[in-house]
Amino acid sequence: MTRIAIVAAMAQELNGLKEHLINPICTRYAGRDFWSGQINGKEVVLVLAKIGKVAAATTTTLLIQHFKATQIVFTGVAGGIGAKVKVGDLVIASELLQHDMNAYPLFPVYEIPLYGRSHFPTHANLSFALQNACEQVMQAIQKSPPKNTNNISDASILALQQGLLELGLPQPQVLSGLIVSGDQFIASQQASADLQKNIPFALAVEMEGAAVAQVCHDFNIPLAVLRVISDKADDQAHLDFNRFIEKVACFYSQAVVFNLLSRL
Ligand code: ADE
């Protein structure tokens, strides 16, 4: 049986999805609430990742071992790295790396000891479906506001249009590339510039994705990761972050996840 796990980084994102779960069952396990049921006719399990690499790795292991997830989709926010990545953009991970892993000189910088690799790729087909879902949501945002907002997709598109307008973010883009993770909220121009210098291909920085990717690699479970850029990982980051989640990020997750589930 297919069971798609949707792992959210923010409670607001999870709540939006939970409301639309058919036959919801909540199982509390290891301090986490796992919500099982159906969305768009698909068997799903929804959970909060919790914050940081270890917490996210535990959540992922439980999803696979205990809740028998067969695919994992992660949705959350991230700081944008580099000039071309703007607040409001969607970044789909092609691969992930832990930017705070450093066992040098025993192993090369960023390499996970005994894995012989630093980069963990996501699943090509699942990521392609996620990218198509994101692009369709973006197209809907550029059109005139939906009139009938009785269904969840149109309601979240309308909320997104309003949120993006309010925050002055008219033309978001969908990007795909390297996302880096570490146990730090990056919130200074200096820290962000250092990351960009050391890992030039990084598009976004967050605190869980690469840990989830490592666990999925261990168990051979397909993974796709979507991050909405909430801030530029600079001195303003903590201010932009909260406002963005409330006004934009949770509606993105809803719209994209519903669209994706109709494709799988
Ligand atoms: N998640 C969202 N913004 C972030 C940042 N600036 N650093 C780490 N994780 C983040």
Side-chain angles (χ1 to χ4, degrees):
M1 189 189 68
T2 308
R3 175 174 283 156
I4 304 157
I6 310 290
V7 186
M10 301 290 144
Q12 293 93 324
E13 291 174 301
L14 193 75
N15 291 342
L17 293 168
K18 227 162 61 184
E19 277 172 29
H20 304 280
L21 201 56
I22 309 291
N23 303 321
I25 297 174
C26 179
T27 311
R28 192 155 178 83
Y29 199 90
R32 291 146 168 84
D33 287 331
F34 293 83
W35 289 86
S36 312
Q38 300 88 39
I39 294 179
N40 271 358
K42 303 291 183 326
E43 254 338 290
V44 297
V45 50
L46 313 177
V47 68
L48 262 188
K50 292 207 161 187
I51 296 174
K53 291 184 298 167
V54 174
T58 301
T59 307
T60 308
T61 306
L62 291 174
L63 280 170
I64 297 168
Q65 288 288 80
H66 193 81
F67 292 91
K68 306 298 174 205
T70 55
Q71 301 172 65
I72 296 185
V73 178
F74 193 108
T75 142
V77 294
I81 302 291
K84 93 169 201 209
V85 187
K86 308 237 167 18
V87 172
D89 289 351
L90 299 179
V91 179
I92 292 145
S94 57
E95 51 185 358
L96 298 111
L97 166 149
Q98 296 179 28
H99 68 76
D100 55 358
M101 172 55 76
N102 188 353
Y104 185 84
L106 302 181
F107 296 91
V109 181
Y110 306 126
E111 183 170 309
I112 309 293
L114 312 183
Y115 280 69
R117 59 162 71 222
S118 51
H119 293 63
F120 288 82
T122 51
H123 189 267
N125 289 351
L126 191 56
S127 300
F128 184 65
L130 181 60
Q131 174 135 11
N132 286 337
C134 289
E135 274 159 11
Q136 204 168 17
V137 166
M138 281 302 186
Q139 278 164 19
I141 293 172
Q142 307 301 335
K143 291 193 184 140
S144 50
K147 290 196 175 58
N148 170 5
T149 53
N150 289 338
N151 72 60
I152 167 71
S153 305
D154 286 346
S156 43
I157 294 295
L158 183 63
L160 260 177
Q161 288 172 327
Q162 288 166 346
L164 288 166
L165 197 68
E166 203 174 313
L167 298 186
L169 307 166
Q171 291 278 319
Q173 38 178 357
V174 181
L175 303 166
S176 167
L178 175 65
I179 295 183
V180 298
S181 316
D183 288 320
Q184 291 148 19
F185 186 81
I186 304 293
S188 79
Q189 190 53 51
Q190 187 58 54
S192 168
D194 288 348
L195 264 184
Q196 208 186 329
K197 181 167 142 274
N198 295 334
I199 314 172
F201 290 113
L203 295 180
V205 59
E206 37 86 317
M207 301 177 69
E208 298 84 18
V212 175
Q214 186 175 335
V215 176
C216 286
H217 168 87
D218 287 342
F219 290 100
N220 196 22
I221 292 289
L223 168 71
V225 176
L226 165 66
R227 290 289 186 166
V228 186
I229 301 302
S230 57
D231 57 80
K232 286 289 292 170
D234 57 12
D235 305 78
Q236 280 272 98
H238 61 294
L239 300 175
D240 298 341
F241 181 80
N242 288 320
R243 211 160 54 116
F244 186 83
I245 286 161
E246 197 187 306
K247 301 266 179 220
V248 173
C250 55
F251 301 112
Y252 258 136
S253 317
Q254 281 179 39
V256 171
V257 167
F258 275 82
N259 190 302
L260 174 67
L261 289 174
S262 68
R263 293 166 186 274
L264 298 180

